[in-house]
Amino acid sequence: MTEQRPVTDTAAQPVLPDAQTVTSVTHYTDRLFSFRVTRPASLRFRSGEFVMIGLMGDPDPRTGRQKPLLRAYSIASPSWDEELEFYSIKVEDGPLTSKLQHIAVGDQIILKPKPVGTLVHDALLPGKRLYFFSTGTGFAPFASLLREPETFENYDEVIVTHTCRDVAELTYGANLIADITSDEMMIELLGEENLAKIRYYPTTTREKSAKMGRITTLIESGELFTDLGVPPLDPATDRAMVCGSLAFNKDIAALLEAAGLHEGANSEPGEFVIEKAFVG
Ligand code: A2P
């Protein structure tokens, strides 16, 4: 369910340090939601980067003072968007997300306008095929990159894998792909030919769906490549961006390295890059 309301001047009055105003909130499941906030005029970022966002914590019982409670969040919106979008998990006893999940339109959050991150095109060498490997809320940076024209310019194919526990958890990613491939403005911006490069490969591990299994297992068995009709991973042609839990990132990195791909960074581009999906 999405709550949306135009932001009025009064709603946009900042009272917190680095405050931004919530403009919409969408809940997908009891574990996942997304929201949009106003964008600070000074904030420039590269699609795929993250910022620190949060709320004021509870008052210290002794001093009564409140400290900001901040976590790293990938920006899920593209660099050209006038608002900022975030995709978040709800952790019942998570210091931040237990509160953040209750935000409503007009509320304020703290946003430090200092973007950083490794899931950026500059950190990859040129290639033919770009893979986005994600689990859970690790889809967020790819929601940004999939709306960025540069993503498509240098590749023939953009293969987007997303593994979640159940089908409902795939909704945010599935909606995003359906939207960008059907919305007139997005088709004009990204180009019909470019959008045709997207190969979406969602999988579930705990509920029956069209494709089941961890993506790591499907890579190891070769099923991913057979399903897509593409050759196995090859450092000469394939590039990858990875975002998920620590264990997922480690397992995918091992598979990419076994195929001869090397991790890159902003300062030294390579064949794949990794970012942790942040929770808490
Ligand atoms: P599984 O259900 O087998 O644990 P979560 O919601 O716990 O973050 O997990 C998101 C998805 O990522 C789940 O489908 C989960 O599969 C999968 N997953 C978790 N760890 C790994 C891993 N090390 N390698 C591949 N997939 C993983």
Side-chain angles (χ1 to χ4, degrees):
M1 218 186 86
T2 304
E3 186 201 7
Q4 214 152 11
R5 193 179 79 190
V7 179
T8 62
D9 284 349
T10 357
Q13 289 303 315
V15 294
L16 295 172
D18 295 311
Q20 296 302 323
T21 305
V22 177
T23 59
S24 79
V25 183
T26 307
H27 291 272
Y28 301 95
T29 68
D30 57 359
R31 291 209 316 146
L32 295 167
F33 73 115
S34 70
F35 56 96
R36 291 175 70 88
V37 303
T38 51
R39 175 173 176 168
S42 63
L43 176 62
R44 297 275 172 276
F45 67 96
R46 292 177 294 174
S47 292
E49 289 188 311
F50 65 84
V51 284
M52 303 300 290
I53 66 170
L55 297 168
M56 289 309 272
D58 291 331
D60 182 307
R62 280 180 305 137
T63 62
R65 272 212 228 121
Q66 284 177 284
K67 275 205 224 134
L69 197 55
L70 300 171
R71 293 285 181 275
Y73 267 79
S74 288
I75 302 173
S77 46
S79 62
W80 51 261
D81 201 330
E82 62 188 26
E83 291 184 338
L84 298 173
E85 182 176 313
F86 297 97
Y87 181 44
S88 178
I89 194 141
K90 308 173 194 176
V91 181
E92 214 173 292
D93 55 358
L96 178 63
T97 62
S98 60
K99 295 182 198 307
L100 195 63
Q101 62 179 289
H102 300 297
I103 52 167
V105 171
D107 286 354
Q108 295 195 323
I109 66 155
I110 303 167
L111 190 151
K112 298 278 178 201
K114 288 206 185 75
V116 279
T118 56
L119 299 186
V120 290
H121 288 297
D122 300 344
L124 287 180
L125 294 166
K128 188 166 156 10
R129 203 172 284 119
L130 176 61
Y131 282 89
F132 290 157
F133 292 113
S134 64
T135 59
T137 56
F139 190 84
F142 305 133
S144 172
L145 285 158
L146 279 166
R147 288 179 272 187
E148 189 60 65
E150 192 188 350
T151 296
F152 304 96
E153 277 157 20
N154 302 321
Y155 296 96
D156 298 340
E157 281 175 297
V158 178
I159 297 169
V160 184
T161 87
H162 190 200
T163 302
C164 290
R165 294 181 186 186
D166 56 43
V167 175
E169 294 191 345
L170 293 168
T171 307
Y172 175 78
N175 287 356
L176 184 116
I177 299 219
D179 287 350
I180 60 171
T181 49
S182 64
D183 181 86
E184 261 178 51
M185 197 277 273
M186 293 304 301
I187 294 173
E188 195 174 322
L189 176 80
L190 300 173
E192 212 155 5
E193 255 176 52
N194 281 337
L195 287 166
K197 295 178 181 177
I198 300 176
R199 316 278 311 271
Y200 177 47
Y201 194 84
T203 80
T204 57
T205 50
R206 303 192 194 182
E207 185 189 7
K208 202 163 171 5
S209 71
K211 194 77 216 175
M212 293 201 60
R214 289 182 165 198
I215 198 69
T216 41
T217 312
L218 297 164
I219 292 173
E220 273 173 312
S221 68
E223 210 171 318
L224 168 69
F225 312 111
T226 313
D227 286 346
L228 295 172
V230 297
L233 291 168
D234 178 348
T237 51
D238 296 334
R239 303 292 170 260
M241 293 190 179
V242 180
C243 188
S245 63
L246 273 182
F248 171 73
N249 290 355
K250 200 167 138 266
D251 291 352
I252 284 270
L255 290 171
L256 295 172
E257 277 162 6
L261 282 73
H262 302 94
E263 187 169 356
N266 276 280
S267 53
E268 202 183 343
E271 283 111 20
F272 74 92
V273 281
I274 293 204
E275 198 92 87
K276 179 170 152 251
F278 308 88
V279 293

